[in-house]
Amino acid sequence: MAYLTPRLGHFRIFNHSVSACRLLGTADMADMGLALSRSPLERLDFDNVALKKLPLDSSEEPGVRQVNGACFSRVKPQPVTKPRFVAVSHEALALLGLNGEEVMTDPLGPEYLSGSRVMPGSETAAHCYCGHQFGQFAGQLGDGAAIYLGEVKVPPGQDSDLLRENPSGRWEIQVKGAGKTPFSRQADGRKVLRSSIREFLCSEVMFFLGVPTTRAGSVVTSDSRVVRDVYYSGNPRNERCSVVLRIAPTFLRFGSFEIFKQADESTGRQGPSYGRHEIRSQMMDYVIEMFYPEIQRNHPDRMERNVAFFREVMLRTARLVAQWQCVGFCHGVLNTDNMSILGLTLDYGPYGFMDRFDPNFICNASDNSGRYSYQAQPAICRWNLVKLAEALAPELPPDRAEEVVDEYLDLYNGFYLETMRKKLGLLKKDEPEDEILITELLQTMHNTGADFTNTFRSLSQISCPTEGEGEEEEELVRKATELLLQQCASLEELKAANKPTMDTRELAMLLSMAQSNPALFQMISDRATIARQLEIISKLKDLMETNQEELQSKHAEDWSGWITRYRKRLARELEGQSDVRALQEERVRVMDSTNPRVVLRNYIAQNAIEAAENGDFSEVQRVLKVLQKPFSSQPGLDSPAWVGRGQTTDQGERDEEEEEEEQQEAASSSTARTPVPYDSKPPTWANEICVTSKETKKQHV
């Protein structure tokens, strides 16, 4: 037997007549060398519990089909040509025990994280689910572009807070854009650079803003191309296939339980596993045991367990949408198939952070009715919870579900007010009048077209009243008013923002129809849409009858009135406090850690997209670095480094026609732009950006 023993300060192998190779075995040495040279992605420890615990359709029959009696279907990702990294999130990859630098420099990294090569232990599959889309049951939907790669065991030493949020001890990973699945319908299962960059960046900024979310570990692009009509103008062009690595405890959603739905009264569609009640029970057991173990332990009675589970989903959903509202985030396709069973932000298709505050803000240009507008989102989440409750019956008794849903509004309001008080620096007292103060703030922001993010960020600069302030108060209010007026819209901006989206002749026809034929009117429109158009017309009329000076004066009057009321409320915070200075410092600290300095505005994402489409990935990486500290100023990272350079650093294959197309687009857009700081209000050209449920596009203007 060989062993180590110290000699003269050194270690020496004895029994050296037997070679090290013979001691270890030639095969073992080869394995050791292989292990040391392997890709870090080949060392991931997979344990794919979902495929063991839930029904799996083992057929690999190509093409779109109904998948009956199964939660997953086996699929094979389709490779792309010459995959390469655009960016990685070191923090997200660390969840899997991966070092971002090692992954970035791994020659096999882009292949594995684009689905072009399958990692050892990975079992590729697509998840079957249904959903209510824009209020109508759509039948089978499923992962049309996302492919489950498996579940990676949580590495040793993972942060205890993360383990509390993910008690399953595994991270599900999937690639989005890796090709067709049985659920792709008429699509090709591919994603392009535009949508992939948007999903990658927003997944990460939401996490750093403190909003529950799925994560994105990487974005890979390639030389493979798909045809997309960017402007929906009948002039399609080739775009690069790109793939995002997504990470979450699970991607199960409300729609996962709708595969059992009976035929819908309106659409006639039914879930592909209708009547398979045993699968519903199996799925509920899996979700509760894996992701809600405390509920499983504390409720031996099955019905009470299920009620507690639904209540927890409701609570997480209420908290999530309150957090969205407080950072001005809007989910553009808030269908039941895009609602996480864990209360996470899920599926970043059309989304937007509000610039100018508008309760009717719609981030998805395909949402003509405004169903998923900013102000509608809390109510829509409640509606989706009702649909989840219906999908869980009879495992969840309808009367008990109704009791739980009735708790939603109060919970939402509580979460919302709690965060809004922090945003305003109201830390010591909860006063009934606070809700009025918040409502008046939002109304003033709406009336003046104030920037949502920057206005809240500015509030910490408004001073608290002090004893003996006297005549100084008027001057302090004036300075605070000037500060907030900088975030308000000009007359021309407000006119542009208040243009009716409906032709006046169409509006007149609908108004007449509402009186003469209410039944027909109800079929083709609704009173809320008409009321919104009339409100816009009225506001535009008022704007046309004023000038910039009169508007500025009115805005100043509105803001000075609100600031005076706000400072009186701040004064009440100081009552009974011995250390006023410490309280003032705490107020500023809390406000500046609750009100972000920067969010992923559309123009920031668009700059990064256009740079990447011209082969320069540095702006994506730079934006990611900025968004990882959204509450802080980072010297040297104030503005984009890339501003419309008409050159390419991408080493992929490009023919002359492709290069000419991309250079022409760059010349017509970003080359003429002046750098805009990341914490700035949007530049004028940002009005051209338009996001739809079919991926990002820019309007022709």
Side-chain angles (χ1 to χ4, degrees):
M1 175 179 177
Y3 58 92
L4 297 177
T5 187
R7 176 170 176 164
L8 300 177
H10 298 283
F11 287 92
R12 178 183 175 192
I13 299 181
F14 277 78
N15 200 8
H16 50 269
S17 60
V18 181
S19 71
C21 283
R22 284 183 59 194
L23 283 170
L24 295 171
T26 305
D28 291 336
M29 287 294 288
D31 289 344
M32 181 185 292
L34 181 63
L36 292 173
S37 64
R38 276 194 307 175
S39 161
L41 295 162
E42 293 171 354
R43 299 195 292 268
L44 289 177
D45 189 5
F46 281 94
D47 185 13
N48 308 321
V49 177
L51 300 190
K52 300 170 188 172
K53 298 255 186 178
L54 298 175
L56 172 64
D57 170 32
S58 59
S59 170
E60 294 186 6
E61 175 190 344
V64 174
R65 65 181 189 278
Q66 285 283 108
V67 175
N68 304 313
C71 300
F72 289 90
S73 182
R74 290 203 183 277
V75 296
K76 292 181 179 178
Q78 297 167 302
V80 291
T81 304
K82 292 189 177 179
R84 51 199 173 277
F85 283 120
V86 175
V88 305
S89 168
H90 294 245
E91 288 76 6
L93 291 177
L95 297 174
L96 310 177
L98 293 169
N99 178 290
E101 289 295 338
E102 289 183 5
V103 172
M104 279 285 279
T105 56
D106 177 7
L108 296 179
E111 292 192 51
Y112 280 128
L113 297 187
S114 64
S116 300
R117 184 187 292 249
V118 178
M119 290 173 274
S122 171
E123 297 180 79
T124 54
H127 177 42
C128 180
Y129 52 83
C130 292
H132 281 78
Q133 296 191 316
F134 287 87
Q136 299 294 318
F137 185 65
Q140 177 178 290
L141 297 170
D143 286 335
I147 295 178
Y148 165 103
L149 297 181
E151 296 153 71
V152 176
K153 287 183 181 178
V154 167
Q158 189 121 103
D159 185 271
S160 58
D161 289 339
L162 288 172
L163 293 177
R164 277 196 295 273
E165 293 176 12
N166 180 16
S168 72
R170 295 163 183 80
W171 292 102
E172 180 181 328
I173 60 174
Q174 55 175 231
V175 282
K176 185 173 181 180
K180 286 187 176 181
T181 76
F183 313 108
S184 296
R185 290 173 285 175
Q186 290 81 36
D188 53 25
R190 294 297 191 189
K191 293 296 175 181
V192 297
L193 201 50
R194 292 173 287 121
S195 59
S196 298
I197 288 173
R198 282 177 59 84
E199 172 144 13
F200 172 77
L201 290 174
C202 200
S203 298
E204 292 305 281
V205 71
M206 291 295 270
F207 172 77
F208 290 104
L209 286 169
V211 180
T213 179
T214 59
R215 302 294 298 277
S218 64
V219 58
V220 174
T221 194
S222 71
D223 283 356
S224 297
R225 299 270 179 162
V226 287
V227 176
R228 295 287 188 267
D229 187 350
V230 186
Y231 305 106
Y232 304 101
S233 60
N235 297 304
R237 71 177 175 101
N238 287 319
E239 296 195 64
R240 295 184 182 279
C241 294
S242 302
V243 181
V244 176
L245 176 75
R246 307 203 299 181
I247 306 169
T250 181
F251 285 88
L252 294 179
R253 54 202 72 204
F254 289 14
S256 302
F257 289 95
E258 291 190 292
I259 63 174
F260 314 107
K261 180 175 168 55
Q262 64 186 19
D264 185 76
E265 291 181 2
S266 300
T267 65
R269 301 187 183 99
Q270 70 177 34
S273 294
Y274 169 64
R276 299 294 299 273
H277 303 301
E278 76 283 1
I279 300 178
R280 180 195 291 110
S281 300
Q282 197 175 344
M283 193 185 299
M284 287 192 74
D285 290 345
Y286 169 74
V287 169
I288 297 171
E289 289 170 9
M290 293 294 292
F291 307 108
Y292 297 96
E294 287 190 11
I295 290 175
Q296 181 71 20
R297 287 193 299 268
N298 296 336
H299 295 85
D301 180 83
R302 184 178 182 85
M303 185 184 74
E304 293 303 325
R305 181 202 70 167
N306 294 348
V307 172
F309 159 67
F310 182 62
R311 177 173 282 109
E312 181 64 21
V313 174
M314 180 274 296
L315 182 148
R316 292 187 186 198
T317 301
R319 182 190 293 121
L320 176 67
V321 69
Q323 290 174 291
W324 286 351
Q325 299 290 101
C326 289
V327 293
F329 176 81
C330 199
H331 194 301
V333 192
L334 206 49
N335 299 325
T336 57
D337 55 293
N338 290 333
M339 296 282 292
S340 164
I341 206 72
L342 301 183
L344 306 175
T345 313
L346 176 67
D347 281 353
Y348 292 91
Y351 65 80
F353 285 89
M354 270 196 302
D355 295 318
R356 175 183 51 81
F357 177 72
D358 180 2
N360 293 313
F361 170 68
I362 300 169
C363 65
N364 178 4
S366 302
D367 183 7
N368 298 319
S369 67
R371 176 180 175 84
Y372 298 142
S373 68
Y374 172 79
Q375 69 176 354
Q377 303 231 337
I380 287 296
C381 285
R382 183 188 183 281
W383 191 91
N384 288 341
L385 283 163
V386 170
K387 295 304 167 185
L388 173 62
E390 292 173 1
L392 296 178
E395 287 279 342
L396 177 68
D399 59 329
R400 299 294 301 277
E402 186 176 353
E403 291 172 6
V404 173
V405 171
D406 286 345
E407 300 171 20
Y408 170 84
L409 187 58
D410 285 342
L411 275 171
Y412 165 76
N413 284 334
F415 290 132
Y416 178 78
L417 285 172
E418 179 185 6
T419 303
M420 275 292 178
R421 283 189 172 105
K422 289 180 181 177
K423 289 174 77 69
L424 269 66
L426 308 178
L427 311 180
K428 298 301 179 183
K429 298 180 179 181
D430 291 355
E431 297 192 355
E433 294 80 6
D434 291 349
E435 192 167 352
I436 298 172
L437 185 68
I438 293 164
T439 300
E440 289 176 343
L441 168 62
L442 296 176
Q443 186 61 59
T444 304
M445 290 171 66
H446 187 209
N447 292 344
T448 62
D451 186 87
F452 183 89
T453 299
N454 290 358
T455 298
F456 274 106
R457 183 71 179 185
S458 299
L459 294 182
S460 65
Q461 298 177 52
I462 297 177
S463 62
C464 289
T466 56
E467 285 188 25
E469 196 173 70
E471 296 178 359
E472 293 180 13
E473 180 182 358
E474 187 175 336
E475 177 64 15
L476 291 170
V477 170
R478 186 188 66 78
K479 287 183 177 179
T481 300
E482 288 180 354
L483 176 70
L484 296 185
L485 283 174
Q486 293 173 22
Q487 302 305 329
C488 297
S490 68
L491 178 59
E492 292 308 311
E493 287 171 334
L494 286 175
K495 285 179 181 178
N498 284 280
K499 285 184 178 177
T501 56
M502 186 181 293
D503 184 272
T504 53
R505 290 167 297 182
E506 180 185 359
L507 180 60
M509 180 195 73
L510 289 172
L511 286 169
S512 175
M513 187 183 298
Q515 299 295 322
S516 61
N517 194 340
L520 180 58
F521 170 78
Q522 196 66 30
M523 291 174 61
I524 62 177
S525 188
D526 62 88
R527 295 188 182 278
T529 299
I530 299 301
R532 190 158 57 244
Q533 292 297 311
L534 292 174
E535 181 184 351
I536 290 171
I537 290 172
S538 175
K539 191 165 185 178
L540 181 60
K541 181 175 179 292
D542 291 340
L543 290 169
M544 298 298 289
E545 295 173 353
T546 191
N547 57 48
Q548 182 63 44
E549 291 72 23
E550 291 172 341
L551 184 72
Q552 184 87 350
S553 176
K554 178 68 171 65
H555 286 179
E557 182 182 343
D558 288 349
W559 275 118
S560 62
W562 183 83
I563 290 167
T564 300
R565 293 189 292 277
Y566 176 49
R567 295 184 81 243
K568 285 180 180 178
R569 174 64 180 86
L570 290 176
R572 294 198 293 277
E573 286 281 292
L574 304 179
E575 293 173 357
Q577 300 294 320
S578 57
D579 193 340
V580 172
R581 181 174 180 178
L583 180 60
Q584 301 259 34
E585 290 174 353
E586 182 190 5
R587 168 182 166 256
V588 171
R589 180 185 58 78
V590 170
M591 292 178 74
D592 285 350
S593 62
T594 308
N595 295 313
R597 184 185 71 88
V598 59
V599 294
L600 186 61
R601 298 174 187 263
N602 276 338
Y603 79 86
I604 295 175
Q606 190 64 27
N607 268 337
I609 288 166
E610 290 181 6
E613 287 181 334
N614 282 279
D616 184 347
F617 303 148
S618 63
E619 183 62 17
V620 178
Q621 297 159 7
R622 184 181 181 88
V623 169
L624 176 62
K625 188 175 291 188
V626 170
L627 296 177
Q628 287 172 339
K629 295 183 178 179
F631 300 99
S632 307
S633 177
Q634 300 182 63
L637 291 175
D638 297 325
S639 301
W642 184 95
V643 187
R645 292 197 294 271
Q647 61 186 24
T648 301
T649 59
D650 190 343
Q651 299 302 309
E653 292 180 2
R654 304 157 63 85
D655 60 36
E656 292 182 6
E657 184 178 346
E658 289 168 357
E659 286 189 11
E660 185 178 348
E661 280 181 11
E662 293 180 4
Q663 288 173 3
Q664 284 177 353
E665 184 171 345
S668 66
S669 56
S670 56
T671 49
R673 295 178 191 161
T674 302
V676 177
Y678 294 123
D679 62 354
S680 171
K681 290 199 300 179
T684 304
W685 61 263
N687 294 327
E688 301 173 19
I689 302 170
C690 178
V691 185
T692 79
S693 52
K694 294 182 179 179
E695 296 184 300
T696 312
K697 68 172 182 175
K698 287 192 305 172
Q699 293 174 322
H700 270 316
V701 292

